Amino acid sequence: MTESPRSAPNPRRRSERSRRAILSAALELCSENGYGRVTIEGIAARAGVSKKTIYRWWATKGAVLLEAVIEAVVSTSPLPDTGDVDTDLVTHVTSVMRVFTSPVIGPAYTGILSELLHDEALARAVNEELVGPRVALVHERLRAGQRQGQLPPDADLELAVEMLYGPLYYRHALKRPFHDPDRIASLVAHVMRALRAPSPS
Amino acid sequence: MTESPRSAPNPRRRSERSRRAILSAALELCSENGYGRVTIEGIAARAGVSKKTIYRWWATKGAVLLEAVIEAVVSTSPLPDTGDVDTDLVTHVTSVMRVFTSPVIGPAYTGILSELLHDEALARAVNEELVGPRVALVHERLRAGQRQGQLPPDADLELAVEMLYGPLYYRHALKRPFHDPDRIASLVAHVMRALRAPSPS
C-alpha cells in the first residue's frame, strides 16, 4: 500500500515487450523456415513466452504474422507529402516493392497471400487491417495532389491505386517481383500520365 | 495383316479422349471441392481411367490442373485483331477478368496461384507454359498497333502488359476480383492514354 506507483511493474509495458518479441519471432521463423513450417509452439519458444500468452491475443499463426507484417509495412513504406505527388508516389511504391523482396517481411506476406486464397477470414483481415488503410493513405495523397492542381479533379483514384499496386502484385504472384527502382519510377510516370491525359469522351 | 487401317483402333485418338476426360474431371473436382481436396485418385475415378494413366502423362495434380487451365484460358480469352488495338485489348482483358471469376476455371487457377508461391517448379511451369505465351500474344497485338500507327514506336510494351494484367491479379490476390466490364474498359483506356501521352523527359 505504501509502494510508490513508479516501482510497481507496469503490466501494459510488459505486455508490449512480449508482443514485440512474439511478432519478431514469427517473422524470423517464417524467414528461416517458410510460412508452412511456422507454428504457435515455435513462435512461443523463440519469443520466450507461453503458448497461452500467444493465444490470449491471437487465434491463429496467420493472425500473428499479419500483425507483424502490418507493423513492418507501416514502418518501412511511408507515404510522404513533400508537395510533389509524383515524387511521393515513387518513394511509396518503391518502398512497397522492397516489402515484397524483403527477406524479413517478404516470406511472411507471401505466406499470407497464399493462405488467404482459401481462407475467407484471413482475406477479410488482410483487406480491412492492412490493404484498406494503405489504400486510404494513397487516396488521401492523391486528393491532396488534386487540391494542389497536380491532378485533374475527376481523376479515377480507385483505378490509380489499382494501376500502381497491380503490377507489383502481378509480378509477386508469378514469383518475378520487381527489383529495379527505375521500373517503379516508370510505372508511376505512366499512371500519372494516364490520370492527366484528357479523356477522349 | 489383312485388317484395314481404318478399322484399327487409333491409340492417339483414344489417348486424346482420356486426356480430355482427365482435364475435365480435374476442373470439375476443383470447382466442387476446392483445390486442396483434389487428388489424383479422385480425378482417375471421375474420369474413368487408372491412376497409372494419369501418372504416365503428369507428375502432380498441379500439372494436371495447369494443363486444364491452359486449355480453358486459351479457348476462352482470345486476342482478336480487328484493326483497332483499343477494342481488341478491351475484349481480351475482359475475357481474362472472366477467367478469374469463372466457376470452372477460377478455382483451379486460384489453387495454382496459391501453390506456386511455395513451389518453384510450378511457378516456372505457370510462367513458361501459361503466362509467357499469353504475354507474347499481347506484345504481338501491341506491336501490330504500333505498325498501324495506333501506338508510339517507343511505347513500353512490357509495362503495358503489367498495367493491363496487374490490377486483375491484385484484385484476385485480395479476393476482390473485378466483375464490371466497364472498369476493364476504363483500365484499358487509361493504359492506352499512358502509352500515348508524350513522355515529359
Side-chain angles (χ1 to χ4, degrees):
Chain A
M1 297 297 255
T2 56
E3 210 175 303
S4 141
R6 286 218 183 149
S7 64
N10 180 335
R12 269 192 75 87
R13 180 172 298 168
R14 200 173 47 192
S15 297
E16 178 60 14
R17 203 161 50 214
S18 298
R19 195 183 71 89
R20 295 206 164 271
I22 291 162
L23 298 184
S24 297
L27 287 182
E28 279 169 28
L29 289 168
C30 201
S31 182
E32 288 166 21
N33 307 324
Y35 186 94
R37 290 204 193 84
V38 176
T39 60
I40 296 284
E41 285 86 340
I43 297 171
R46 174 74 59 104
V49 302
S50 69
K51 278 170 58 177
K52 210 178 127 216
T53 299
I54 298 182
Y55 281 122
R56 196 183 309 147
W57 293 326
W58 297 279
T60 61
K61 81 172 186 190
V64 180
L65 281 162
L66 177 57
E67 185 164 332
V69 165
I70 290 170
E71 297 224 340
V73 163
V74 166
S75 68
T76 58
S77 61
L79 187 34
D81 188 346
T82 66
D84 179 336
V85 68
D86 296 57
T87 304
D88 293 347
L89 286 173
V90 171
T91 302
H92 175 66
V93 182
T94 304
S95 63
V96 175
M97 170 189 92
R98 295 213 167 95
V99 165
F100 279 117
T101 57
S102 155
V104 180
I105 321 173
Y109 195 38
T110 299
I112 288 168
L113 286 173
S114 175
E115 187 148 312
L116 78 78
L117 288 175
H118 45 86
D119 181 336
E120 291 292 341
L122 185 59
R124 207 161 38 241
V126 168
N127 277 291
E128 287 174 6
E129 295 164 29
L130 172 60
V131 178
R134 306 298 289 168
V135 167
L137 268 186
V138 181
H139 279 172
E140 205 177 289
R141 184 66 196 84
L142 290 167
R143 277 196 299 269
Q146 287 178 311
R147 285 193 299 273
Q148 290 150 10
Q150 294 174 9
L151 283 170
D154 63 348
D156 188 332
L157 304 191
E158 200 181 323
L159 202 54
V161 169
E162 288 158 356
M163 293 174 74
L164 288 168
Y165 284 162
L168 279 73
Y169 277 79
Y170 165 68
R171 298 205 31 148
H172 175 264
L174 298 170
K175 274 187 160 335
R176 296 186 280 111
F178 286 108
H179 290 278
D180 180 359
D182 287 348
R183 294 304 287 161
I184 301 301
S186 184
L187 168 64
V188 172
H190 274 77
V191 173
M192 300 312 265
R193 270 184 252 159
L195 296 177
R196 285 175 184 138
S199 166
S201 62
Chain B
M1 298 296 255
T2 56
E3 211 175 301
S4 142
R6 289 218 182 148
S7 63
N10 179 334
R12 269 190 75 87
R13 180 172 298 168
R14 200 174 46 194
S15 297
E16 178 59 15
R17 203 161 52 214
S18 298
R19 195 182 71 90
R20 295 204 164 273
I22 292 163
L23 297 184
S24 297
L27 286 182
E28 279 169 28
L29 289 168
C30 200
S31 181
E32 288 165 21
N33 308 323
Y35 185 94
R37 290 205 192 84
V38 176
T39 60
I40 295 285
E41 285 85 341
I43 298 171
R46 175 73 60 102
V49 302
S50 69
K51 278 170 57 177
K52 210 178 126 215
T53 299
I54 298 181
Y55 280 121
R56 195 183 309 148
W57 293 327
W58 297 280
T60 62
K61 80 172 186 190
V64 179
L65 281 162
L66 177 57
E67 185 164 331
V69 165
I70 290 170
E71 297 223 341
V73 163
V74 166
S75 68
T76 58
S77 62
L79 187 32
D81 187 346
T82 66
D84 179 336
V85 67
D86 296 57
T87 304
D88 293 347
L89 286 172
V90 170
T91 302
H92 175 66
V93 182
T94 305
S95 64
V96 175
M97 170 189 93
R98 295 213 168 95
V99 165
F100 280 116
T101 57
S102 155
V104 181
I105 321 173
Y109 195 40
T110 299
I112 288 168
L113 286 173
S114 175
E115 187 148 312
L116 78 77
L117 288 176
H118 45 86
D119 181 336
E120 291 292 341
L122 185 59
R124 208 161 36 241
V126 168
N127 276 292
E128 287 173 6
E129 295 164 29
L130 173 59
V131 178
R134 306 297 288 168
V135 167
L137 268 187
V138 181
H139 279 172
E140 205 177 291
R141 184 66 195 83
L142 289 167
R143 277 195 299 269
Q146 287 178 311
R147 285 194 299 274
Q148 290 150 11
Q150 295 174 9
L151 283 170
D154 62 348
D156 188 331
L157 304 190
E158 200 181 322
L159 202 53
V161 169
E162 288 159 355
M163 289 192 292
L164 289 168
Y165 285 162
L168 278 71
Y169 277 79
Y170 165 68
R171 299 206 31 149
H172 175 265
L174 298 170
K175 273 188 160 336
R176 297 186 279 110
F178 286 108
H179 290 278
D180 180 358
D182 287 349
R183 294 304 287 162
I184 301 301
S186 185
L187 168 64
V188 171
H190 275 75
V191 173
M192 300 312 266
R193 271 185 251 159
L195 297 177
R196 285 174 185 139
S199 167
S201 64

